[in-house]
């Protein structure tokens, strides 16, 4: 058994408390048992809370699609069903993926549960081009919905919207909030310029 590493920051350790080489530039050459210390330059290897999304049997396809949409995205892990499991041997069980440093997991659990609009991912966009690109990709074989919402072909709901929306809702005037919401209610795909005009009251 590899020895524990007592002097490395927690984010460089796996679930056993062992150093994981290559997690960041500081510990790129670290080995189990190393006493190298320093401040990591990446997110923790295991975040405290990770959203899990339930799919029938296409979690791996969905995760690969999601990471293809963003520059800062990657598949982080794949576990698979073995013999005698509810799904065929080799089918992905849990697919870990990361979008902009946020970790998610896609689970193949069969047809018992379905995704719904009750949970969605909000993507804050700074340009109309970004909104157009994501909206086009996510709505293909999916369902376009009002106010920048779109359900993709796997059933996961997204809000593709202006990055300024949360700030206006938190710190804008009542008139700005009402103006923005009134404009947004007239849209499916968000018109960023129209929202910006609506808050300049």
């Amino acid at each position: 058994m590899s020895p524990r590493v007592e002097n490395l920051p927690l984010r460089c350790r796996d679930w056993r408390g062992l150093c994981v080489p290559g997690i960041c530039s500081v510990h790129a050459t670290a080995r189990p048992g190393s006493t190298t210390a320093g401040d990591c330059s990446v997110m923790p290897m295991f975040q405290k809370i990770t959203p899990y999304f339930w799919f029938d049997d296409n979690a791996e396809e969905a995760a690969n699609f999601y990471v293809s949409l963003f520059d800062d995205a990657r598949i982080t892990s794949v576990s698979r069903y073995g013999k005698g499991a509810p799904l065929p041997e080799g089918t992905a069980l849990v697919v870990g993926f990361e979008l902009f440093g946020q970790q998610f997991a896609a689970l193949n659990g069969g047809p018992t549960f379905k995704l719904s609009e009750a949970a969605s991912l909000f993507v804050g966009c700074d340009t109309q081009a970004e909104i157009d690109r994501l909206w086009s990709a996510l709505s293909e074989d999916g369902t376009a919905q009002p106010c920048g919402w779109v359900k993709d072909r796997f059933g996961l709901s997204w809000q593709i919207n202006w990055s300024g929306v949360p700030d206006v809702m938190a710190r804008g005037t009542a008139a700005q909030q009402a103006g923005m919401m009134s404009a947004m209610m007239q849209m499916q795909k968000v018109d960023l310029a129209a929202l910006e005009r609506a808050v300049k009251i």
Side-chain angles (χ1 to χ4, degrees):
M1 180 180 294
S2 300
R4 286 182 176 274
V5 181
E6 300 301 334
N7 295 330
L8 291 180
L10 178 61
R11 63 183 63 186
C12 276
R13 300 177 183 179
D14 66 12
W15 61 275
R16 299 162 298 178
L18 302 178
C19 175
V20 181
I23 293 301
C24 73
S25 59
V26 174
H27 301 121
T29 59
R31 295 290 184 273
S34 169
T35 58
T36 303
D39 184 24
C40 292
S41 58
V42 296
M43 290 288 288
M45 185 177 179
F46 300 106
Q47 65 191 26
K48 190 72 169 180
I49 298 174
T50 300
Y52 269 62
F53 301 117
W54 184 293
F55 296 86
D56 186 348
D57 59 3
N58 55 1
E60 190 167 17
E61 181 186 356
N64 281 319
F65 173 59
Y66 300 147
V67 301
S68 75
L69 297 176
F70 305 100
D71 291 335
D72 186 5
R74 63 192 180 108
I75 299 294
T76 58
S77 63
V78 182
S79 61
R80 300 190 181 278
Y81 281 100
K83 293 181 179 179
L87 294 181
E89 182 180 5
T91 301
L93 172 57
V94 177
V95 182
F97 63 100
E98 189 175 280
L99 308 177
F100 292 99
Q102 169 73 45
Q103 295 176 32
F104 301 90
L107 166 70
N108 276 326
T112 307
F113 301 113
K114 299 297 182 184
L115 296 166
S116 80
E117 290 85 346
S120 61
L121 298 180
F122 181 98
V123 182
C125 300
D126 296 321
T127 67
Q128 188 64 48
E130 184 180 17
I131 291 173
D132 292 347
R133 181 182 65 80
L134 291 173
W135 181 269
S136 176
L138 290 166
S139 62
E140 185 176 357
D141 296 325
T143 306
Q145 297 174 321
C147 303
W149 288 59
V150 57
K151 180 184 285 189
D152 67 35
R153 64 180 182 268
F154 302 102
L156 185 60
S157 292
W158 300 74
Q159 298 182 58
I160 306 303
N161 215 317
W162 174 37
S163 59
V165 167
D167 190 53
V168 173
M169 295 308 296
R171 287 180 281 275
T173 65
Q176 287 173 322
Q177 293 169 357
M180 182 180 71
M181 292 306 298
S182 177
M184 195 184 303
M185 291 296 292
Q186 309 305 311
M187 305 172 184
Q188 282 196 328
K189 183 176 73 172
V190 164
D191 182 336
L192 190 152
L195 292 189
E196 290 179 326
R197 287 195 300 271
V199 302
K200 293 178 181 178
I201 299 171

